[in-house]
Amino acid sequence: MSSIKVWDLPTRFFHWLLVLSFAGAFLTAESERNRDLHVLLGYTVLGLIVFRLLWGLIGSRYARFYSFVCSPKVVVLYLCQLIQKQAQHPVGHNPAGAVVIVLLLLLGLGSGLSGWAVYEDIGADWLTEWHELISNAMLVVVCIHITGVVVSSYLQGENLIAAMVTGKKLGHVNQAIASNVASLAWLLLAVVIGLWIWAWPASKDLNWLLHTFSWW
Amino acid sequence: MKPFTIGFLILIAIAQPLRAEQPQDIILSHTLQAKQDNAAFLGFDAIRGEQFFKSQHNGGDWSCASCHTDNPAAAGLHTVTKKEIEPMAPSVNPARFTNTSKVEKWFKRNCKDVLNRECTAQEKGDVITYLMSLNR
Ligand code: HEM
């Protein structure tokens, strides 16, 4: 066993950008004063998830849905083995984690799409309520997700959170992914930050630039 | 379709018209609440509602009119997003004050933004009374 690359850079950038955007969107949901920011972060969540869905088809080994989406049977079996302390810890996502990840992606998609429909006045009033419901459900699943990650880290004696930062986990050399696909990750980051700068209303009038410079 | 599904759909169809409330119903529920809050409650007043609607509160920079404008019988404009808001007066926009949960949701949200607290039943009733007194 040695330390090998498991999560490619686009997957990790996606993850932490999603954490940031979702948390931000949640915190800005309450007030009309933050409406622009909320909408911007909501669109970011939507864009990130669309990216991840594509990356799940063409990404590197452990990022592909094919490598971690599994049937309920496999999940139940895994949970039973976990209780009996006989579970094998896969190098990629474990079956229980995979269920939560799929849920997070679906809820994020639903939350983003319903928010978009509400903002563009496409839907009736009930859509607003669904937008809130889906987003709250997502927060609950995020809590389950974090608990799961912490518990798994403890059970398998490996810091999975650090792994989502460094991309490295314990495994055999032949299980490592071939490439970090770093260029795509930086492109993703550039697009997201570009979107934020371009769309942020305060950036549209250049007064803020003047202000910043006069402050200097 | 299974009988259960059909029955469920019929129930929803029947319940739909029951859901559509009238502004009067919403005023009534605020009256009951206002009486509970304040034994000396004397009823709602359109003029007080108009004043409330058009002034700033607790040192804040917004009033209700910041978005719904000084003429709530015409379309408003969201001060942050610059999106149009449909007129607030039920005489112009009959969809207003016909859905309690929508009304309460927006009162809560908008009052927190404008007053830094929720509105009382008295304030809400005054505002609705004011808006209902507007003609096209
Ligand atoms: C705020 C909302 C969050 C969302 C929406 C979210 C979503 C996700 C998603 C979709 C994945 C799958 C990653 C992929 O393969 O692309 C994932 C994995 C992961 N997340 Fe999160 N996450 C959130 C917060 C967190 C936090 C706060 C932590 C750390 C404390 C964390 C730790 C991890 C880890 C370690 C994995 C990899 C799990 C594994 O080893 O199988 N997540 N998360």
Side-chain angles (χ1 to χ4, degrees), chain A residues 149 152-161 163 168-171:
Chain A
V149 167
S152 293
S153 297
Y154 173 74
L155 288 179
Q156 67 192 79
E158 181 173 13
N159 187 340
L160 295 176
I161 299 168
K168 290 186 173 147
K169 288 178 81 174
L170 284 179

Side-chain angles (χ1 to χ4, degrees), chain A residues 106-183:
Chain A
L106 289 178
L107 287 170
L109 199 64
S111 167
L113 285 176
S114 61
W116 177 40
V118 168
Y119 190 60
E120 297 300 333
D121 291 323
I122 292 170
D125 292 340
W126 57 266
L127 252 172
T128 326
E129 278 157 42
W130 275 94
H131 178 58
E132 282 182 43
L133 192 74
I134 297 173
S135 311
N136 288 332
M138 179 145 168
L139 184 68
V140 172
V141 179
V142 164
C143 293
I144 297 174
H145 167 66
I146 296 172
T147 313
V149 167
V150 171
V151 169
S152 293
S153 297
Y154 173 74
L155 288 179
Q156 67 192 79
E158 181 173 13
N159 187 340
L160 295 176
I161 299 168
M164 205 20 100
V165 175
T166 63
K168 290 186 173 147
K169 288 178 81 174
L170 284 179
H172 292 291
V173 181
N174 63 358
Q175 290 177 304
I177 53 173
S179 164
N180 210 6
V181 210
S183 49

Side-chain angles (χ1 to χ4, degrees), chain A residues 7 11-12 14-16 18-20 22-23 52 55 62-63 68 91-94 97-98 100-102 104-105 138-139 142 145-146 149-150 153 159-164 169:
Chain A
W7 310 123
T11 301
R12 286 179 276 147
F14 155 79
H15 181 267
W16 295 112
L18 184 66
V19 172
L20 214 73
F22 178 74
R52 187 61 183 88
W55 198 235
Y62 303 103
F68 64 88
V91 177
H93 299 298
N94 71 51
V100 179
I101 288 166
V102 170
L104 282 171
L105 292 176
M138 179 145 168
L139 184 68
V142 164
H145 167 66
I146 296 172
V149 167
V150 171
S153 297
N159 187 340
L160 295 176
I161 299 168
M164 205 20 100
K169 288 178 81 174

Side-chain angles (χ1 to χ4, degrees), chain B residues 59-80:
Chain B
D61 53 342
W62 281 357
S63 69
C64 308
S66 300
C67 293
H68 298 298
T69 77
D70 273 345
N71 175 14
L77 188 73
H78 195 296
T79 53
V80 176

